Amino acid sequence: MRNEIPIDEFQVADQSPLGDLVRDQICTEREERITFRHDRYGDWGRQRVLLSHVHELSQFAGDRVGSPSWHAAVRLLGLHLLERESLGRWLEVFEKSAGTDATKPSLLQFLLLEAVIFASDPGPLLARLWPELIKNDGFWLKHLLQRFLHVATFPHPISFMLSPKDPVQAATLWRVPYEPYWLPILQFI
């Protein structure tokens, strides 16, 4: 699950589909190294790996979930569970993804929860999740909205000028809503 792989790490028999993958613009070959042409193919590939380990997701995800390259894959897994399986299956995986401290959600749970934000039509998914979101004085709804404020926005283009001494903090504080994510959520709320 690396970003690129030297071509000599493939067995000769495994190299035969590479020509088709390069021709179909799924992969690129440069300087005897193979990489996905677009990150979405890598995200999808990692999501498929997570799906094959969904029964032991917490153990398998382990340190991987700390890497941003796995975040989109976990969100895609959450979408798969919500859209193609059932709320019950998503809840089962979600609850098994809890950390050791029940009062502090795990990063894996956050990523599975925010998957709904990235759905093509989040309204029906939010309606199905609503009873779970409002339990315990809206514990998960509060967390979802906090995550939403970050993942559904991008740094203001001039944020670095607002705080030149600490541009990272400025990019975190001065954010602009990304409308395609905001409209469905606001309509639901």
Side-chain angles (χ1 to χ4, degrees):
M1 301 312 291
R2 294 175 288 174
N3 186 35
E4 59 182 17
I5 300 173
I7 197 165
D8 65 355
E9 287 191 24
F10 288 96
Q11 299 293 325
V12 174
D14 294 334
Q15 290 183 17
S16 62
L18 284 178
D20 292 336
L21 292 171
V22 170
R23 186 183 66 246
D24 292 342
Q25 298 183 357
I26 294 173
C27 292
T28 59
E29 181 180 350
R30 188 176 333 132
E31 298 178 4
E32 303 302 313
R33 299 183 71 75
I34 303 296
T35 187
F36 285 112
R37 187 168 177 92
H38 192 280
D39 285 345
R40 289 293 164 222
Y41 295 117
D43 296 340
W44 178 81
R46 285 186 286 276
Q47 182 258 4
R48 302 311 293 173
V49 170
L50 292 174
L51 189 57
S52 70
H53 292 277
V54 75
H55 297 294
E56 69 275 352
L57 184 62
S58 288
Q59 295 81 11
F60 181 79
D63 293 337
R64 290 176 179 91
V65 77
S67 168
S69 64
W70 284 86
H71 292 186
V74 175
R75 289 183 196 116
L76 288 171
L77 175 66
L79 280 174
H80 174 87
L81 295 171
L82 284 169
E83 293 178 338
R84 297 202 176 170
E85 294 197 23
S86 66
L87 177 61
R89 182 73 174 119
W90 182 88
L91 281 170
E92 176 187 333
V93 172
F94 184 78
E95 289 170 3
K96 286 182 179 179
S97 299
T100 54
D101 183 359
T103 62
K104 184 179 178 202
S106 69
L107 177 57
L108 196 54
Q109 284 183 305
F110 278 138
L111 295 169
L112 289 168
L113 182 64
E114 69 189 34
V116 70
I117 296 167
F118 298 97
S120 59
D121 187 10
L125 298 179
L126 283 166
R128 287 179 25 215
L129 277 174
W130 188 252
E132 299 301 320
L133 293 173
I134 60 173
K135 284 183 182 175
N136 300 324
D137 286 333
F139 180 81
W140 288 113
L141 178 60
K142 291 172 190 173
H143 284 291
L144 175 66
L145 293 175
Q146 286 173 345
R147 296 294 289 186
F148 175 73
L149 288 175
H150 182 72
V151 301
T153 60
F154 57 91
H156 193 285
I158 64 165
S159 63
F160 68 94
M161 292 183 347
L162 299 172
S163 181
K165 291 183 181 180
D166 194 354
V168 174
Q169 181 183 16
T172 303
L173 296 174
W174 299 93
R175 301 190 64 84
V176 176
Y178 183 61
E179 290 178 28
Y181 294 146
W182 278 71
L183 294 176
I185 302 294
L186 290 176
Q187 286 174 337
F188 179 80
I189 291 174

